[in-house]
Amino acid sequence: MEHERELASAGIRATEIDHVGLAVRDLEAAVEQYRMVFGADPVHRETIESDGVQEALFAVGGSFVQLLAPTGPDTPVGRFLERRGEGVHHVGYRVPDVAAALEHLREHGVVLADQHPRPGSRGTTVAFAHPKSFAGVLVELVEEAGG
């Protein structure tokens, strides 16, 4: 029982998958495809200038499928599409405190893409951990607005 308590207090305390981010070349075509698949409209759309992306979110239970299209070729998602093509770009994990999660990862030698939390879409706070530390998968930590 003590061991279980120790495990519960350790780690980044991820509560669920927030979203899976998919890189797409044509956001409108991808939105139409996902409308057909899910039978629903996106629940959120936003352009995030600081990241050079346009996004559309489709709700799936308490999580999202995030379609990401670059605003230009010299953006992180633009470069990803050039190297790897369309597909899974990252996985977002919901955490209660991004700053605390970053500190935990830093203490455990995880390579971080972001050293500090920053604003994300839909009013969230986010930070990314480098794919080198997660078997080639870019990991996003997501704290919902209001903590």
Side-chain angles (χ1 to χ4, degrees):
M1 192 60 137
E2 183 63 33
H3 179 67
E4 290 173 358
R5 276 193 284 270
E6 287 174 13
L7 286 177
S9 66
I12 62 171
R13 299 184 4 213
T15 58
E16 60 190 294
I17 301 294
D18 184 79
H19 65 277
V20 175
L22 307 176
V24 300
R25 294 186 196 286
D26 183 334
L27 185 60
E28 294 313 313
V31 164
E32 287 308 313
Q33 180 183 18
Y34 277 77
R35 275 188 175 122
M36 188 260 316
V37 169
F38 292 121
D41 286 324
V43 295
H44 182 81
R45 291 185 75 140
E46 186 172 344
T47 298
I48 306 154
E49 294 295 337
S50 60
D51 289 339
V53 295
Q54 295 178 314
E55 74 166 7
L57 294 174
F58 284 87
V60 181
S63 300
F64 302 98
V65 170
Q66 179 188 49
L67 303 177
L68 296 166
T71 56
D74 194 28
T75 62
V77 172
R79 290 188 296 272
F80 177 91
L81 286 167
E82 182 64 30
R83 285 189 317 269
R84 298 187 179 191
E86 293 183 308
V88 175
H89 180 262
H90 68 274
V91 177
Y93 294 91
R94 204 167 293 155
V95 297
D97 184 336
V98 169
L102 277 176
E103 185 57 31
H104 175 81
L105 294 177
R106 189 177 292 111
E107 288 171 358
H108 288 83
V110 171
V111 179
L112 301 175
D114 289 319
Q115 297 302 312
H116 305 284
R118 59 188 175 90
S121 73
R122 68 183 203 278
T124 61
T125 300
V126 303
F128 285 87
H130 199 281
K132 289 178 184 177
S133 293
F134 291 97
V137 177
L138 181 63
V139 167
E140 183 176 9
L141 306 170
V142 181
E143 180 181 335
E144 291 192 307

PDB file of all heavy atoms in Angstrom, residues 8-42:
ATOM      1  N   ALA A   8       1.651   7.105  -6.663  1.00  0.00           N
ATOM      2  CA  ALA A   8       0.584   8.074  -6.926  1.00  0.00           C
ATOM      3  C   ALA A   8       1.077   9.504  -6.761  1.00  0.00           C
ATOM      4  O   ALA A   8       0.618  10.408  -7.450  1.00  0.00           O
ATOM      5  CB  ALA A   8      -0.607   7.816  -6.008  1.00  0.00           C
ATOM      6  N   SER A   9       2.024   9.743  -5.841  1.00  0.00           N
ATOM      7  CA  SER A   9       2.510  11.102  -5.623  1.00  0.00           C
ATOM      8  C   SER A   9       3.647  11.461  -6.576  1.00  0.00           C
ATOM      9  O   SER A   9       4.056  12.604  -6.649  1.00  0.00           O
ATOM     10  CB  SER A   9       2.971  11.265  -4.177  1.00  0.00           C
ATOM     11  OG  SER A   9       4.108  10.457  -3.940  1.00  0.00           O
ATOM     12  N   ALA A  10       4.188  10.488  -7.282  1.00  0.00           N
ATOM     13  CA  ALA A  10       5.286  10.724  -8.212  1.00  0.00           C
ATOM     14  C   ALA A  10       4.739  10.966  -9.614  1.00  0.00           C
ATOM     15  O   ALA A  10       3.551  10.842  -9.872  1.00  0.00           O
ATOM     16  CB  ALA A  10       6.231   9.526  -8.215  1.00  0.00           C
ATOM     17  N   GLY A  11       5.617  11.281 -10.506  1.00  0.00           N
ATOM     18  CA  GLY A  11       5.230  11.421 -11.899  1.00  0.00           C
ATOM     19  C   GLY A  11       4.585  12.757 -12.203  1.00  0.00           C
ATOM     20  O   GLY A  11       4.514  13.642 -11.364  1.00  0.00           O
ATOM     21  N   ILE A  12       4.101  12.880 -13.417  1.00  0.00           N
ATOM     22  CA  ILE A  12       3.501  14.137 -13.859  1.00  0.00           C
ATOM     23  C   ILE A  12       2.019  14.226 -13.506  1.00  0.00           C
ATOM     24  O   ILE A  12       1.396  15.235 -13.734  1.00  0.00           O
ATOM     25  CB  ILE A  12       3.697  14.346 -15.383  1.00  0.00           C
ATOM     26  CG1 ILE A  12       3.013  13.242 -16.182  1.00  0.00           C
ATOM     27  CG2 ILE A  12       5.181  14.478 -15.719  1.00  0.00           C
ATOM     28  CD1 ILE A  12       2.967  13.485 -17.670  1.00  0.00           C
ATOM     29  N   ARG A  13       1.483  13.141 -12.975  1.00  0.00           N
ATOM     30  CA  ARG A  13       0.082  13.079 -12.549  1.00  0.00           C
ATOM     31  C   ARG A  13      -0.887  13.326 -13.705  1.00  0.00           C
ATOM     32  O   ARG A  13      -1.875  14.050 -13.567  1.00  0.00           O
ATOM     33  CB  ARG A  13      -0.161  14.017 -11.378  1.00  0.00           C
ATOM     34  CG  ARG A  13       0.671  13.674 -10.169  1.00  0.00           C
ATOM     35  CD  ARG A  13       0.396  14.510  -8.958  1.00  0.00           C
ATOM     36  NE  ARG A  13      -0.681  15.446  -9.096  1.00  0.00           N
ATOM     37  CZ  ARG A  13      -0.742  16.627  -8.517  1.00  0.00           C
ATOM     38  NH1 ARG A  13       0.224  17.006  -7.738  1.00  0.00           N
ATOM     39  NH2 ARG A  13      -1.757  17.429  -8.695  1.00  0.00           N
ATOM     40  N   ALA A  14      -0.598  12.724 -14.847  1.00  0.00           N
ATOM     41  CA  ALA A  14      -1.496  12.837 -15.996  1.00  0.00           C
ATOM     42  C   ALA A  14      -2.854  12.264 -15.632  1.00  0.00           C
ATOM     43  O   ALA A  14      -2.948  11.189 -15.038  1.00  0.00           O
ATOM     44  CB  ALA A  14      -0.921  12.105 -17.202  1.00  0.00           C
ATOM     45  N   THR A  15      -3.910  12.991 -15.951  1.00  0.00           N
ATOM     46  CA  THR A  15      -5.258  12.544 -15.619  1.00  0.00           C
ATOM     47  C   THR A  15      -5.960  11.865 -16.790  1.00  0.00           C
ATOM     48  O   THR A  15      -6.860  11.064 -16.571  1.00  0.00           O
ATOM     49  CB  THR A  15      -6.120  13.719 -15.135  1.00  0.00           C
ATOM     50  OG1 THR A  15      -6.155  14.725 -16.163  1.00  0.00           O
ATOM     51  CG2 THR A  15      -5.548  14.315 -13.843  1.00  0.00           C
ATOM     52  N   GLU A  16      -5.568  12.214 -18.007  1.00  0.00           N
ATOM     53  CA  GLU A  16      -6.147  11.591 -19.191  1.00  0.00           C
ATOM     54  C   GLU A  16      -5.432  12.108 -20.438  1.00  0.00           C
ATOM     55  O   GLU A  16      -4.636  13.031 -20.366  1.00  0.00           O
ATOM     56  CB  GLU A  16      -7.648  11.838 -19.296  1.00  0.00           C
ATOM     57  CG  GLU A  16      -8.051  13.291 -19.388  1.00  0.00           C
ATOM     58  CD  GLU A  16      -9.556  13.468 -19.249  1.00  0.00           C
ATOM     59  OE1 GLU A  16     -10.300  13.013 -20.143  1.00  0.00           O
ATOM     60  OE2 GLU A  16      -9.978  14.044 -18.235  1.00  0.00           O
ATOM     61  N   ILE A  17      -5.737  11.479 -21.548  1.00  0.00           N
ATOM     62  CA  ILE A  17      -5.248  11.992 -22.832  1.00  0.00           C
ATOM     63  C   ILE A  17      -6.081  13.228 -23.150  1.00  0.00           C
ATOM     64  O   ILE A  17      -7.305  13.154 -23.219  1.00  0.00           O
ATOM     65  CB  ILE A  17      -5.406  10.953 -23.966  1.00  0.00           C
ATOM     66  CG1 ILE A  17      -4.637   9.667 -23.665  1.00  0.00           C
ATOM     67  CG2 ILE A  17      -5.008  11.553 -25.314  1.00  0.00           C
ATOM     68  CD1 ILE A  17      -3.140   9.814 -23.634  1.00  0.00           C
ATOM     69  N   ASP A  18      -5.434  14.367 -23.309  1.00  0.00           N
ATOM     70  CA  ASP A  18      -6.151  15.585 -23.683  1.00  0.00           C
ATOM     71  C   ASP A  18      -6.497  15.549 -25.168  1.00  0.00           C
ATOM     72  O   ASP A  18      -7.623  15.823 -25.561  1.00  0.00           O
ATOM     73  CB  ASP A  18      -5.319  16.826 -23.371  1.00  0.00           C
ATOM     74  CG  ASP A  18      -6.066  18.101 -23.666  1.00  0.00           C
ATOM     75  OD1 ASP A  18      -6.905  18.491 -22.825  1.00  0.00           O
ATOM     76  OD2 ASP A  18      -5.850  18.687 -24.747  1.00  0.00           O
ATOM     77  N   HIS A  19      -5.484  15.202 -25.980  1.00  0.00           N
ATOM     78  CA  HIS A  19      -5.718  15.155 -27.420  1.00  0.00           C
ATOM     79  C   HIS A  19      -4.597  14.394 -28.117  1.00  0.00           C
ATOM     80  O   HIS A  19      -3.525  14.190 -27.557  1.00  0.00           O
ATOM     81  CB  HIS A  19      -5.822  16.566 -28.010  1.00  0.00           C
ATOM     82  CG  HIS A  19      -4.557  17.360 -27.916  1.00  0.00           C
ATOM     83  ND1 HIS A  19      -4.191  18.056 -26.775  1.00  0.00           N
ATOM     84  CD2 HIS A  19      -3.552  17.555 -28.808  1.00  0.00           C
ATOM     85  CE1 HIS A  19      -3.024  18.648 -26.983  1.00  0.00           C
ATOM     86  NE2 HIS A  19      -2.607  18.361 -28.216  1.00  0.00           N
ATOM     87  N   VAL A  20      -4.904  14.006 -29.336  1.00  0.00           N
ATOM     88  CA  VAL A  20      -3.895  13.490 -30.253  1.00  0.00           C
ATOM     89  C   VAL A  20      -3.838  14.498 -31.392  1.00  0.00           C
ATOM     90  O   VAL A  20      -4.860  14.807 -32.011  1.00  0.00           O
ATOM     91  CB  VAL A  20      -4.262  12.084 -30.779  1.00  0.00           C
ATOM     92  CG1 VAL A  20      -3.256  11.618 -31.818  1.00  0.00           C
ATOM     93  CG2 VAL A  20      -4.343  11.096 -29.619  1.00  0.00           C
ATOM     94  N   GLY A  21      -2.634  15.046 -31.630  1.00  0.00           N
ATOM     95  CA  GLY A  21      -2.449  16.047 -32.669  1.00  0.00           C
ATOM     96  C   GLY A  21      -2.033  15.393 -33.977  1.00  0.00           C
ATOM     97  O   GLY A  21      -1.063  14.640 -34.007  1.00  0.00           O
ATOM     98  N   LEU A  22      -2.784  15.675 -35.036  1.00  0.00           N
ATOM     99  CA  LEU A  22      -2.509  15.109 -36.359  1.00  0.00           C
ATOM    100  C   LEU A  22      -2.117  16.228 -37.317  1.00  0.00           C
ATOM    101  O   LEU A  22      -2.871  17.191 -37.491  1.00  0.00           O
ATOM    102  CB  LEU A  22      -3.748  14.398 -36.894  1.00  0.00           C
ATOM    103  CG  LEU A  22      -4.376  13.341 -35.977  1.00  0.00           C
ATOM    104  CD1 LEU A  22      -5.652  12.788 -36.596  1.00  0.00           C
ATOM    105  CD2 LEU A  22      -3.383  12.238 -35.696  1.00  0.00           C
ATOM    106  N   ALA A  23      -0.953  16.103 -37.926  1.00  0.00           N
ATOM    107  CA  ALA A  23      -0.492  17.081 -38.907  1.00  0.00           C
ATOM    108  C   ALA A  23      -1.152  16.787 -40.247  1.00  0.00           C
ATOM    109  O   ALA A  23      -1.144  15.642 -40.712  1.00  0.00           O
ATOM    110  CB  ALA A  23       1.024  17.021 -39.045  1.00  0.00           C
ATOM    111  N   VAL A  24      -1.740  17.829 -40.846  1.00  0.00           N
ATOM    112  CA  VAL A  24      -2.402  17.694 -42.146  1.00  0.00           C
ATOM    113  C   VAL A  24      -1.954  18.834 -43.051  1.00  0.00           C
ATOM    114  O   VAL A  24      -1.609  19.918 -42.583  1.00  0.00           O
ATOM    115  CB  VAL A  24      -3.946  17.686 -42.010  1.00  0.00           C
ATOM    116  CG1 VAL A  24      -4.415  16.524 -41.136  1.00  0.00           C
ATOM    117  CG2 VAL A  24      -4.475  19.001 -41.463  1.00  0.00           C
ATOM    118  N   ARG A  25      -1.946  18.579 -44.335  1.00  0.00           N
ATOM    119  CA  ARG A  25      -1.553  19.619 -45.295  1.00  0.00           C
ATOM    120  C   ARG A  25      -2.701  20.593 -45.572  1.00  0.00           C
ATOM    121  O   ARG A  25      -2.491  21.785 -45.732  1.00  0.00           O
ATOM    122  CB  ARG A  25      -1.087  18.979 -46.602  1.00  0.00           C
ATOM    123  CG  ARG A  25       0.183  18.179 -46.453  1.00  0.00           C
ATOM    124  CD  ARG A  25       0.694  17.676 -47.816  1.00  0.00           C
ATOM    125  NE  ARG A  25       1.657  16.622 -47.673  1.00  0.00           N
ATOM    126  CZ  ARG A  25       2.913  16.775 -47.276  1.00  0.00           C
ATOM    127  NH1 ARG A  25       3.346  17.965 -46.962  1.00  0.00           N
ATOM    128  NH2 ARG A  25       3.726  15.737 -47.183  1.00  0.00           N
ATOM    129  N   ASP A  26      -3.921  20.071 -45.666  1.00  0.00           N
ATOM    130  CA  ASP A  26      -5.095  20.873 -46.023  1.00  0.00           C
ATOM    131  C   ASP A  26      -6.117  20.748 -44.897  1.00  0.00           C
ATOM    132  O   ASP A  26      -6.816  19.735 -44.793  1.00  0.00           O
ATOM    133  CB  ASP A  26      -5.655  20.355 -47.350  1.00  0.00           C
ATOM    134  CG  ASP A  26      -6.839  21.154 -47.853  1.00  0.00           C
ATOM    135  OD1 ASP A  26      -7.559  21.783 -47.051  1.00  0.00           O
ATOM    136  OD2 ASP A  26      -7.078  21.121 -49.075  1.00  0.00           O
ATOM    137  N   LEU A  27      -6.196  21.771 -44.059  1.00  0.00           N
ATOM    138  CA  LEU A  27      -7.076  21.717 -42.894  1.00  0.00           C
ATOM    139  C   LEU A  27      -8.539  21.560 -43.290  1.00  0.00           C
ATOM    140  O   LEU A  27      -9.252  20.748 -42.691  1.00  0.00           O
ATOM    141  CB  LEU A  27      -6.889  22.956 -42.020  1.00  0.00           C
ATOM    142  CG  LEU A  27      -7.664  22.956 -40.704  1.00  0.00           C
ATOM    143  CD1 LEU A  27      -7.263  21.785 -39.816  1.00  0.00           C
ATOM    144  CD2 LEU A  27      -7.480  24.274 -39.972  1.00  0.00           C
ATOM    145  N   GLU A  28      -8.983  22.289 -44.283  1.00  0.00           N
ATOM    146  CA  GLU A  28     -10.405  22.228 -44.654  1.00  0.00           C
ATOM    147  C   GLU A  28     -10.790  20.850 -45.184  1.00  0.00           C
ATOM    148  O   GLU A  28     -11.850  20.322 -44.854  1.00  0.00           O
ATOM    149  CB  GLU A  28     -10.768  23.326 -45.651  1.00  0.00           C
ATOM    150  CG  GLU A  28     -10.655  24.724 -45.052  1.00  0.00           C
ATOM    151  CD  GLU A  28     -11.316  24.876 -43.682  1.00  0.00           C
ATOM    152  OE1 GLU A  28     -12.473  24.424 -43.502  1.00  0.00           O
ATOM    153  OE2 GLU A  28     -10.678  25.444 -42.774  1.00  0.00           O
ATOM    154  N   ALA A  29      -9.921  20.237 -45.979  1.00  0.00           N
ATOM    155  CA  ALA A  29     -10.201  18.883 -46.477  1.00  0.00           C
ATOM    156  C   ALA A  29     -10.223  17.890 -45.317  1.00  0.00           C
ATOM    157  O   ALA A  29     -11.092  17.002 -45.268  1.00  0.00           O
ATOM    158  CB  ALA A  29      -9.156  18.468 -47.515  1.00  0.00           C
ATOM    159  N   ALA A  30      -9.295  18.045 -44.383  1.00  0.00           N
ATOM    160  CA  ALA A  30      -9.254  17.146 -43.224  1.00  0.00           C
ATOM    161  C   ALA A  30     -10.489  17.345 -42.344  1.00  0.00           C
ATOM    162  O   ALA A  30     -11.070  16.367 -41.851  1.00  0.00           O
ATOM    163  CB  ALA A  30      -7.983  17.377 -42.413  1.00  0.00           C
ATOM    164  N   VAL A  31     -10.911  18.587 -42.155  1.00  0.00           N
ATOM    165  CA  VAL A  31     -12.121  18.856 -41.365  1.00  0.00           C
ATOM    166  C   VAL A  31     -13.320  18.171 -42.007  1.00  0.00           C
ATOM    167  O   VAL A  31     -14.129  17.540 -41.323  1.00  0.00           O
ATOM    168  CB  VAL A  31     -12.354  20.376 -41.201  1.00  0.00           C
ATOM    169  CG1 VAL A  31     -13.780  20.672 -40.734  1.00  0.00           C
ATOM    170  CG2 VAL A  31     -11.344  20.963 -40.223  1.00  0.00           C
ATOM    171  N   GLU A  32     -13.442  18.265 -43.317  1.00  0.00           N
ATOM    172  CA  GLU A  32     -14.573  17.607 -43.996  1.00  0.00           C
ATOM    173  C   GLU A  32     -14.523  16.095 -43.811  1.00  0.00           C
ATOM    174  O   GLU A  32     -15.547  15.452 -43.583  1.00  0.00           O
ATOM    175  CB  GLU A  32     -14.600  17.975 -45.477  1.00  0.00           C
ATOM    176  CG  GLU A  32     -15.054  19.389 -45.732  1.00  0.00           C
ATOM    177  CD  GLU A  32     -16.383  19.725 -45.047  1.00  0.00           C
ATOM    178  OE1 GLU A  32     -17.346  18.924 -45.149  1.00  0.00           O
ATOM    179  OE2 GLU A  32     -16.452  20.776 -44.395  1.00  0.00           O
ATOM    180  N   GLN A  33     -13.336  15.509 -43.910  1.00  0.00           N
ATOM    181  CA  GLN A  33     -13.201  14.067 -43.711  1.00  0.00           C
ATOM    182  C   GLN A  33     -13.608  13.677 -42.287  1.00  0.00           C
ATOM    183  O   GLN A  33     -14.338  12.714 -42.081  1.00  0.00           O
ATOM    184  CB  GLN A  33     -11.778  13.616 -43.992  1.00  0.00           C
ATOM    185  CG  GLN A  33     -11.608  12.117 -43.791  1.00  0.00           C
ATOM    186  CD  GLN A  33     -10.178  11.664 -43.984  1.00  0.00           C
ATOM    187  OE1 GLN A  33      -9.249  12.460 -43.950  1.00  0.00           O
ATOM    188  NE2 GLN A  33     -10.006  10.375 -44.198  1.00  0.00           N
ATOM    189  N   TYR A  34     -13.143  14.426 -41.298  1.00  0.00           N
ATOM    190  CA  TYR A  34     -13.474  14.113 -39.911  1.00  0.00           C
ATOM    191  C   TYR A  34     -14.933  14.404 -39.584  1.00  0.00           C
ATOM    192  O   TYR A  34     -15.524  13.726 -38.744  1.00  0.00           O
ATOM    193  CB  TYR A  34     -12.503  14.809 -38.951  1.00  0.00           C
ATOM    194  CG  TYR A  34     -11.242  13.992 -38.810  1.00  0.00           C
ATOM    195  CD1 TYR A  34     -10.272  13.993 -39.810  1.00  0.00           C
ATOM    196  CD2 TYR A  34     -11.045  13.168 -37.714  1.00  0.00           C
ATOM    197  CE1 TYR A  34      -9.137  13.213 -39.709  1.00  0.00           C
ATOM    198  CE2 TYR A  34      -9.913  12.382 -37.600  1.00  0.00           C
ATOM    199  CZ  TYR A  34      -8.959  12.401 -38.606  1.00  0.00           C
ATOM    200  OH  TYR A  34      -7.852  11.611 -38.513  1.00  0.00           O
ATOM    201  N   ARG A  35     -15.543  15.397 -40.246  1.00  0.00           N
ATOM    202  CA  ARG A  35     -16.996  15.611 -40.092  1.00  0.00           C
ATOM    203  C   ARG A  35     -17.748  14.358 -40.510  1.00  0.00           C
ATOM    204  O   ARG A  35     -18.670  13.919 -39.841  1.00  0.00           O
ATOM    205  CB  ARG A  35     -17.459  16.783 -40.955  1.00  0.00           C
ATOM    206  CG  ARG A  35     -17.311  18.120 -40.335  1.00  0.00           C
ATOM    207  CD  ARG A  35     -17.992  19.192 -41.190  1.00  0.00           C
ATOM    208  NE  ARG A  35     -17.931  20.457 -40.517  1.00  0.00           N
ATOM    209  CZ  ARG A  35     -17.370  21.542 -41.011  1.00  0.00           C
ATOM    210  NH1 ARG A  35     -16.830  21.530 -42.221  1.00  0.00           N
ATOM    211  NH2 ARG A  35     -17.361  22.650 -40.320  1.00  0.00           N
ATOM    212  N   MET A  36     -17.322  13.791 -41.638  1.00  0.00           N
ATOM    213  CA  MET A  36     -17.967  12.588 -42.130  1.00  0.00           C
ATOM    214  C   MET A  36     -17.735  11.416 -41.178  1.00  0.00           C
ATOM    215  O   MET A  36     -18.657  10.675 -40.852  1.00  0.00           O
ATOM    216  CB  MET A  36     -17.444  12.256 -43.537  1.00  0.00           C
ATOM    217  CG  MET A  36     -18.166  11.133 -44.239  1.00  0.00           C
ATOM    218  SD  MET A  36     -17.349   9.517 -44.217  1.00  0.00           S
ATOM    219  CE  MET A  36     -15.666   9.858 -44.578  1.00  0.00           C
ATOM    220  N   VAL A  37     -16.509  11.271 -40.684  1.00  0.00           N
ATOM    221  CA  VAL A  37     -16.168  10.162 -39.796  1.00  0.00           C
ATOM    222  C   VAL A  37     -16.931  10.266 -38.481  1.00  0.00           C
ATOM    223  O   VAL A  37     -17.551   9.296 -38.028  1.00  0.00           O
ATOM    224  CB  VAL A  37     -14.643  10.123 -39.535  1.00  0.00           C
ATOM    225  CG1 VAL A  37     -14.303   9.153 -38.407  1.00  0.00           C
ATOM    226  CG2 VAL A  37     -13.904   9.731 -40.809  1.00  0.00           C
ATOM    227  N   PHE A  38     -16.894  11.433 -37.827  1.00  0.00           N
ATOM    228  CA  PHE A  38     -17.488  11.600 -36.508  1.00  0.00           C
ATOM    229  C   PHE A  38     -18.946  12.050 -36.545  1.00  0.00           C
ATOM    230  O   PHE A  38     -19.632  11.997 -35.523  1.00  0.00           O
ATOM    231  CB  PHE A  38     -16.678  12.597 -35.668  1.00  0.00           C
ATOM    232  CG  PHE A  38     -15.312  12.092 -35.300  1.00  0.00           C
ATOM    233  CD1 PHE A  38     -14.177  12.778 -35.684  1.00  0.00           C
ATOM    234  CD2 PHE A  38     -15.153  10.927 -34.562  1.00  0.00           C
ATOM    235  CE1 PHE A  38     -12.911  12.323 -35.348  1.00  0.00           C
ATOM    236  CE2 PHE A  38     -13.892  10.455 -34.223  1.00  0.00           C
ATOM    237  CZ  PHE A  38     -12.771  11.151 -34.612  1.00  0.00           C
ATOM    238  N   GLY A  39     -19.401  12.530 -37.704  1.00  0.00           N
ATOM    239  CA  GLY A  39     -20.768  13.030 -37.779  1.00  0.00           C
ATOM    240  C   GLY A  39     -20.965  14.266 -36.926  1.00  0.00           C
ATOM    241  O   GLY A  39     -22.032  14.475 -36.351  1.00  0.00           O
ATOM    242  N   ALA A  40     -19.912  15.087 -36.820  1.00  0.00           N
ATOM    243  CA  ALA A  40     -19.965  16.275 -35.968  1.00  0.00           C
ATOM    244  C   ALA A  40     -19.056  17.356 -36.526  1.00  0.00           C
ATOM    245  O   ALA A  40     -18.165  17.078 -37.328  1.00  0.00           O
ATOM    246  CB  ALA A  40     -19.517  15.917 -34.552  1.00  0.00           C
ATOM    247  N   ASP A  41     -19.318  18.574 -36.091  1.00  0.00           N
ATOM    248  CA  ASP A  41     -18.465  19.703 -36.439  1.00  0.00           C
ATOM    249  C   ASP A  41     -17.351  19.841 -35.408  1.00  0.00           C
ATOM    250  O   ASP A  41     -17.486  19.366 -34.270  1.00  0.00           O
ATOM    251  CB  ASP A  41     -19.286  20.994 -36.451  1.00  0.00           C
ATOM    252  CG  ASP A  41     -20.199  21.079 -37.657  1.00  0.00           C
ATOM    253  OD1 ASP A  41     -19.800  20.618 -38.751  1.00  0.00           O
ATOM    254  OD2 ASP A  41     -21.321  21.606 -37.508  1.00  0.00           O
ATOM    255  N   PRO A  42     -16.277  20.522 -35.775  1.00  0.00           N
ATOM    256  CA  PRO A  42     -15.245  20.797 -34.777  1.00  0.00           C
ATOM    257  C   PRO A  42     -15.842  21.595 -33.610  1.00  0.00           C
ATOM    258  O   PRO A  42     -16.721  22.438 -33.821  1.00  0.00           O
ATOM    259  CB  PRO A  42     -14.223  21.654 -35.523  1.00  0.00           C
ATOM    260  CG  PRO A  42     -14.490  21.452 -36.968  1.00  0.00           C
ATOM    261  CD  PRO A  42     -15.947  21.113 -37.078  1.00  0.00           C
TER     262      PRO A  42
END
